[in-house]
Structure formats: C-alpha cells, structure tokens
Amino acid sequence: MSSSRLNLTKIRPYLYLVPSLALLSVFTYFPILYSTYLSFFRQNVFTLEPVFDWFANYAAVFEEPVFKIVVRNTVVYALGTIPITMFLALLMAILLNEQLGWIRDIYRVACFYPTMIPMAAAGMLAVWLFNPGIGLINHYLKMFGVPTIEWLYDMKWALPAIMLTAIWKNFGYFMLIYLAGLQNIPGELYESASIEGCGFWSRLRYITLPLLGPTTVFVVIQGIITSFQVFDLVYVMTQGGPADRTNVFVYYIYQNAFRFWDFGQASALTVMFVIVLLILVFILTRFMERRVHYEV
Amino acid sequence: MKSNTQQTPKFGPLEKAFRFIGVNRIHIHILLILVSGVTLAPYLWALSTSLKYRVNVFTETPQWIPNPVNLGNYKEVFRMAPFGLYLVNTIVVVVGILAIQILTMSTAAYAFSRLRFRGSEGLFFLFIVQMMLPVHATIVPNYLIVNKLGLLDSRLALMVPFWATGYGTFLLRQSFRQVPRDFEDAAMIDGCSGLRFLYSILLPMAKPTLVAFSLISIVTHWNDFFWPLVVTDSPAVRTLTMGLAMFVQQESGADWTLLMAATIFVTAPLMVLFLIYQRKFIESFMSAGIKG
C-alpha cells in the first residue's frame, strides 16, 4: 500500500508532462528525426517507392545552381533586415522612453500596429504600394525625380522591396522589446551620470547601450530566427521570382516539397536548415554572452 | 516587475542629454511624427483604396480621402468568397489552439516549477528547443504525419501541432516560481494539493502571464499562413489568411479596390481589438518578450 503510494508521487511529475511531451514528440522531435531519415531516400514523382540512396539528396542540393542563389538571398535578407530593424527599433525606443504625455501612446500604436497584421496581408498591402504603374511609392519617388522602378518585377529591386516590407512589419515589435529593456535601467544611473557631467553620447555609450546588452542578444537571436523563416511575404509578393531573385530557404523547401513533390530533396534541405539555424543561434549566444559584460 | 512597464518615468532620463546636443522636445516629436506617418501610411492607403470606386483609384494625385465613399467593395468581396466562413474557421482554430495550450502548459509548468524529479533539466531543455524550431522548420515530416493521421484538410490539422508550447511553458514556469512556497504549504494543510492547487491558486495568480501569452498566441495563429497553406485545400476549412491568398489568385490582381477590401477585412478583427485594448496588448508583448 505504502509502496504504491510512493511510486505514485515519484511518477506524478512525469504524468504532468505527458500531454506536452506526447505532442512535442509527434510534432517537433520525431519530425526532425524523420526528416533526417527521409533525406537519405530518393522520393519524388519519378520513383514509385522511396529508394535508399545515401547522400544523393545532399549532393543534389549542391548541384542545383538555384541553391546558391537561395542561400545568397537568405543571407542578404538577414544581413539587410536585422541591422536596420534593430537600429530603427532602438532609435524609436529611446525616443519613446522620454516623457511625451498622452501622445506617446499614439506613436507607440503607430509603430506597433503592423505586428497585428498577418504577414500575408502585409504582403498584399506591399504589392499594392510597390505597384510600378499606380503604386504610392513610385508616385512619391517620381516627385523627387526618381525614375520608375519596376520593384517586384525587377531582378535587382524585388528582394529589397520584400526586405522593406519586413522591416516595416517587424520593427515595432523589437521596439517594444527595447522599451522594456530601457525601463529596466535604473534612473539613478542617469542622474549620477549627469552629476558627473556626462553628455548625451557618453550616456548612450556607457549606460544605455551596455545595459541593453542582454536585450540585444535576445533581439538578434529572434531576428535571425524570424528572418531565416521568411516565407509568407515571398509567397504573396513574388512567388520567389523574378528568376529566383527572391527565393529564400523556407520557400525553396516548400517549392521542392509541394511544387516539385520531391520529398527527399526537401528533407535534405530541411535537415541542413535546422542544423544551420541551431549552429547560428548557439554560436551567437556564446559569442554575445561573453561580450555582454554588464548585468541588469 | 511587469506592472512598471505602464507607468511613465518621472522624468525622461535622456531628456536633459538631448537638450545638451541641441535636441529639444520639438525635434523629438518631429522625428516621431515622421516615422509614425510612414508606418501608418500603408494601412491607411489600403483602407482608403478599399472605400473607393474603381475610377478613383487611378488619379493623377493620390486621393487619400475617398470621395465619394463606396462600401460596395466589401459587399462584393463577400459575394465572391465565403469570408464569413473563413472568419468562423479562424476563430475556431485560434480558440481551439489556445484552450488546449493552456491545459498542457499549465501542468507542465507546474511540474517544472514546483516539483523535483530526475531529468527535469533535460526535459526542460527539450521544451526550449521547440521555441527555436516551430513546425514550419520541419514542414515535410509534419505534413506526412498529419496525412498519416488522416487529418489533412481539416480544422483539427490546423490546431494539433500547436497544442504543446515550449514558449508558454517557459513563461508560465517563470511566473509560478514567483509564488512563495508558503502558499503551497498552507494550501496543503487545507487539503488542496496537486491539480487543485494548480487550478485554484497557481493559475489565478499567474493571470498577467496567462493574458500576455493568450494575446500572443491569438495574434500568432490568427496570422499564421504557412501551415494552413500546406495542410488545407478546401474553402470549408480555410482560415482568413488563406482565404485572402486564394482570393488574390481568383481575382488575379485586376481590381485593387476589391483586393484591398479583402485585405482590410482579414486584418480588421485583430486591429479593432488592438485599438481598443492597446495598452493591454503592448504591455503583454513587452513583458512576454523580455522574459523570453
């Protein structure tokens, strides 16, 4: 009697975890293993049954000339959007952390509301704005004497157009994260700094930015995860075109799986994607945590 | 900790510093108005377009305020595609996800925050991994699994993969940890332990975290696109974002007033909620973000 009760208290914690663990196993852990397994099989419209073929799918990935473009697009997208988004977010957060009265709420709403819009809908807004003939953006650019840009139909400008849309959509969220970080900095620090006669830039350099270190680590990692998973905008705005100039990693996986029905190839890409993402996040956490020397 | 995100500081910490380099309040406001204006423009322009007659879309100078106002576009959109059904589907899916999420994450967070057991750290790490790898990262196997379960093209398929949440568990664990041990001891003496303690004491005390997580979950799944795109096929189970994408294909970019009316309708429910409860939303995203 007493021994069975003892057992029950021992397994009780695990029982609480069962629902979550079961679901996570089926939809997160097993898929990763399953992808790895599938990536070793040739499985496409030409094969009736999956055929084991070692690393053929991985080799095929690198033989595909489009893959190079896809990697370049994804990297350009990440390197282009993350710093600009962070800069805008930080700038707005610093300004909005001032005492501005009731109008502060309006600014905050104006910057944050794009977070509430579905990416797909944001893509639609952007398609309309970037319309070469009657779009608002070209209209205002023309006023400044800029010749008509074909935007989404132009090999050079399609990706920047998507990046601009993403920056507009995302910076407000990161601004809030920075605002939260700023509000955790004790006001006394600024007071004593001003007694010491520190000017604007030195306060920014020696108080604000260092104390925002942990927030920045979080923002960069979030930024990388979001920008590596960009898909909706590409799907709605360009379908990867023109000539794959906006084809990014997740879109390429989708294309291989559900347009070309090549699950083997798509799985190999998935495995590579997961590995690259985990390594990036791991390295960044390590690297940046060493540089974040102040603690809040 | 969470509540002080609301109150404005007594004085702007950098305010004097701004003056120091010749920046005064007016400059700050001008910059803020500029950025706010640019951010607001796309949505306002879409709203304006959706309320125009087709002829007024092509004007020499952009007509920001539609004249005359035409509500017919919305009627036309509803006639062309079952957006009402899409709305119902979206609500069912979003609520269905959130309800089960709260159940699974509350017991898991309870175990991780209040109970001691072997392997808890390793198991918790497994939960964290999911924060970095949502279903989208493993789209092919998830599609095959849902297919195997016979769930393709159903509303259930849109919900199941999100029922367990590493992120929610993480947030709730933090908040449960702040409840002092004494509460549990006192409750224990009154014969309130385990699940009853969790549901009658812990969860109500974690309400701010629950609200924050709920809002984030609702926004995330309301806006989801990739997963519905892969697993749904028929209008009967389509959500709003999918409905919009299909509408665009059907309309093939010909009539911007209709396309913008559809876009505005898809975004409207959340946008209205956000405008009404903006403080709650902003507070929630702030507190949940910083802790994550």
Side-chain angles (χ1 to χ4, degrees), chain B residues 44-270:
Chain B
L44 293 180
W45 182 240
L47 186 64
S48 156
T49 307
S50 77
L51 294 171
K52 280 176 188 170
Y53 284 96
R54 231 179 135 183
V55 279
N56 292 331
V57 172
F58 310 91
T59 47
E60 202 41 51
T61 47
Q63 194 188 62
W64 277 89
I65 295 167
N67 178 34
V69 171
N70 172 25
L71 288 170
N73 296 323
Y74 288 88
K75 248 187 245 160
E76 181 69 11
V77 164
F78 264 79
R79 203 186 52 73
M80 290 171 68
F83 272 93
L85 177 66
Y86 299 158
L87 178 64
V88 172
N89 285 339
T90 310
I91 293 173
V92 168
V93 168
V94 165
V95 172
I97 290 174
L98 181 60
I100 309 277
Q101 273 181 336
I102 289 178
L103 286 179
T104 60
M105 76 192 217
S106 57
T107 56
Y110 174 65
F112 283 129
S113 63
R114 318 295 295 189
L115 305 175
R116 240 180 285 155
F117 54 98
R118 203 180 294 169
S120 64
E121 272 176 29
L123 286 171
F124 188 64
F125 177 75
L126 283 180
F127 276 66
I128 298 294
V129 168
Q130 198 233 1
M131 284 167 67
M132 275 180 282
L133 291 175
V135 281
H136 306 79
T138 46
I139 199 75
V140 174
N142 271 301
Y143 169 81
L144 293 173
I145 290 165
V146 165
N147 190 15
K148 256 263 148 47
L149 296 173
L151 293 177
L152 268 195
D153 204 25
S154 73
R155 286 188 287 208
L156 207 54
L158 296 177
M159 300 188 244
V160 201
F162 307 103
W163 276 349
T165 159
Y167 178 56
T169 309
F170 175 79
L171 284 182
L172 207 56
R173 184 190 79 136
Q174 304 285 92
S175 149
F176 283 174
R177 274 183 156 181
Q178 285 163 14
V179 177
R181 198 97 225 172
D182 305 349
F183 270 81
E184 198 165 355
D185 298 338
M188 213 66 123
I189 292 164
D190 293 338
C192 171
S193 62
L195 282 180
R196 265 192 59 210
F197 173 67
L198 167 62
Y199 286 112
S200 54
I201 296 176
L202 273 185
L203 267 188
M205 288 184 81
K207 205 180 143 209
T209 307
L210 274 184
V211 171
F213 175 79
S214 302
L215 289 181
I216 291 171
S217 168
I218 290 170
V219 172
T220 309
H221 295 292
W222 189 282
N223 294 347
D224 195 8
F225 179 75
F226 193 25
W227 184 243
L229 174 72
V230 171
V231 295
T232 65
D233 204 24
S234 56
V237 295
R238 243 171 235 162
T239 54
L240 281 170
T241 50
M242 273 313 292
L244 177 64
M246 293 303 123
F247 184 74
V248 173
Q249 277 174 16
Q250 179 190 344
E251 191 35 53
S252 64
D255 191 338
W256 285 104
T257 57
L258 294 182
L259 288 175
M260 286 305 113
T263 308
I264 293 290
F265 177 76
V266 166
T267 59
L270 269 193

Side-chain angles (χ1 to χ4, degrees), chain A residues 68-80:
Chain A
K68 231 186 254 164
I69 304 176
V70 168
V71 170
R72 199 183 56 202
N73 289 338
T74 311
V75 171
V76 168
Y77 178 89
L79 289 182

Side-chain angles (χ1 to χ4, degrees), chain A residues 10 12-14 16-17 19-21 23-24 26-32 34-35 38 43 88 91-92 94-101 103-122 124-125 127-129 131 134-136 139-140 168-169 171 173 176-177 179-181 183-184 187 190-191 194 199-201 203-204 208 215 218 221 225 229 231-232 235-236 239 250 253-254 257-258 261 263 266-267 270 273-274 277-278 281, chain B residues 1 4-6 8-18 20-21 25 28-29 31-33 35-36 38-43 45-46 49 57-58 60-62 64 104-105 107-108 110-112 115-119 123 126-127 130 132-146 149 160-161 163-164 194-195 219 222-223 225-226 229-230 241 244-246 248-249 256 259-260 263 266-267 270-271 274-275 278-279 281-282 285-286 289-290 292:
Chain A
K10 253 193 183 158
R12 211 166 57 110
Y14 302 103
Y16 287 134
L17 296 178
S20 291
L21 278 179
L23 286 160
L24 289 178
V26 176
F27 294 105
T28 306
Y29 316 133
F30 175 68
I32 296 172
Y34 194 33
S35 287
L38 286 174
Q43 185 183 11
L88 256 180
L91 175 74
M92 294 311 279
I94 288 176
L95 294 180
L96 283 177
N97 201 35
E98 293 302 300
Q99 208 185 11
L100 301 164
I103 202 168
R104 196 172 89 128
D105 276 4
I106 295 185
Y107 295 138
R108 263 198 331 198
V109 166
C111 292
F112 185 66
Y113 88 96
T115 308
M116 297 295 136
I117 299 176
M119 268 296 179
M124 274 316 294
L125 297 184
V127 172
W128 175 215
L129 288 170
N131 185 299
I134 52 170
L136 201 62
H139 175 85
Y140 285 121
W168 165 75
K169 172 87 173 67
F171 90 89
Y173 170 71
L176 278 196
I177 307 296
L179 259 177
Q183 289 178 357
N184 282 340
Y190 291 104
E191 279 175 64
S194 71
F200 174 77
W201 296 111
R203 283 187 217 191
L204 195 67
T208 313
T215 313
F218 175 77
I221 288 170
I225 293 174
Q229 290 183 2
F231 173 85
D232 306 6
Y235 182 92
V236 172
Q239 301 262 319
V250 173
I253 293 177
Y254 168 81
F258 301 105
W261 296 101
F263 282 170
S267 298
T270 302
F273 178 74
V274 169
L277 195 62
L278 286 183
V281 170
Chain B
M1 237 277 256
N4 67 13
T5 53
Q6 260 312 311
T8 32
K10 266 208 191 99
F11 62 95
L14 292 180
E15 189 195 323
K16 277 188 222 143
F18 276 126
F20 184 82
I21 53 164
R25 214 140 262 248
I28 296 177
H29 278 290
L31 196 57
L32 284 170
I33 288 171
V35 176
S36 302
V38 172
T39 353
L40 282 173
Y43 198 68
W45 182 240
T49 307
V57 172
F58 310 91
E60 202 41 51
T61 47
W64 277 89
T104 60
M105 76 192 217
T107 56
Y110 174 65
F112 283 129
L115 305 175
R116 240 180 285 155
F117 54 98
R118 203 180 294 169
L123 286 171
L126 283 180
F127 276 66
Q130 198 233 1
M132 275 180 282
L133 291 175
V135 281
H136 306 79
T138 46
I139 199 75
V140 174
N142 271 301
Y143 169 81
L144 293 173
I145 290 165
V146 165
L149 296 173
V160 201
W163 276 349
L195 282 180
V219 172
W222 189 282
N223 294 347
F225 179 75
F226 193 25
L229 174 72
V230 171
T241 50
L244 177 64
M246 293 303 123
V248 173
Q249 277 174 16
W256 285 104
L259 288 175
M260 286 305 113
T263 308
V266 166
T267 59
L270 269 193
M271 202 57 81
F274 170 61
L275 289 179
Q278 58 95 4
R279 278 178 173 244
F281 269 88
I282 285 181
F285 274 80
M286 259 166 130
I290 193 85

